[in-house]
Amino acid sequence: DVQLQASGGGLVQAGGSLRLSCATSGFTFDDYAIAWFRQTPGKEREGISCINNSNGKTFYVDSVKGRFTISSESANNTVYLQMDSLKPEDTAVYYCAAETACGSSAYLFEYWGQGTQVTVSS
């Protein structure tokens, strides 16, 4: 079975950092893209970053460029999202998702992990 396990969320002050992890199993890691989405109440899930493990290409939404870094460790089938210079508007539930290619829409992704809450205080 395909499984994705997101972790690393928490409460941090504005300007601080967190690193999210997405541990995966049940599929050929190097053949898949892993994306991070976030969602706040009443809003659609927003794609913020993606890494294509087959070619190493990475993508970021403009609002996180220069502050977030996505990376992949194939030895343990895990993708990370390093989040620096956090802002209160980054507060959301963060999800990781897997599909054979990167995309910005949640509808494109078949496999999902559970969310991890990130709260940034001002």
Side-chain angles (χ1 to χ4, degrees):
D1 287 352
V2 173
Q3 292 190 1
L4 291 87
Q5 179 80 27
S7 62
L11 173 64
V12 64
Q13 288 189 331
S17 298
L18 282 173
R19 189 177 80 155
L20 305 183
S21 299
C22 179
T24 73
S25 62
F27 60 92
T28 303
F29 185 76
D30 290 345
D31 290 345
Y32 274 74
I34 307 295
W36 286 97
F37 288 78
R38 64 187 180 187
Q39 189 170 25
T40 54
K43 293 191 176 181
E44 287 196 355
R45 206 164 283 191
E46 175 194 23
I48 59 170
S49 186
C50 187
I51 185 165
N52 191 327
N53 287 325
S54 65
N55 58 21
K57 288 187 176 180
T58 59
F59 303 91
Y60 300 92
V61 70
D62 285 346
S63 60
V64 308
K65 279 181 183 177
R67 300 188 299 122
F68 291 10
T69 304
I70 193 169
S71 62
S72 181
E73 195 170 291
S74 60
N76 58 11
N77 293 342
T78 300
V79 168
Y80 303 96
L81 186 69
Q82 177 67 40
M83 305 188 297
D84 298 319
S85 302
L86 282 162
K87 305 175 181 180
E89 51 263 44
D90 294 318
T91 296
V93 178
Y94 284 69
Y95 299 88
C96 59
E99 193 42 81
T100 52
C102 280
S104 59
S105 171
Y107 297 104
L108 298 173
F109 285 79
E110 180 176 359
Y111 304 111
W112 291 86
Q114 89 295 352
T116 185
Q117 176 71 47
V118 171
T119 303
V120 184
S121 63
S122 57

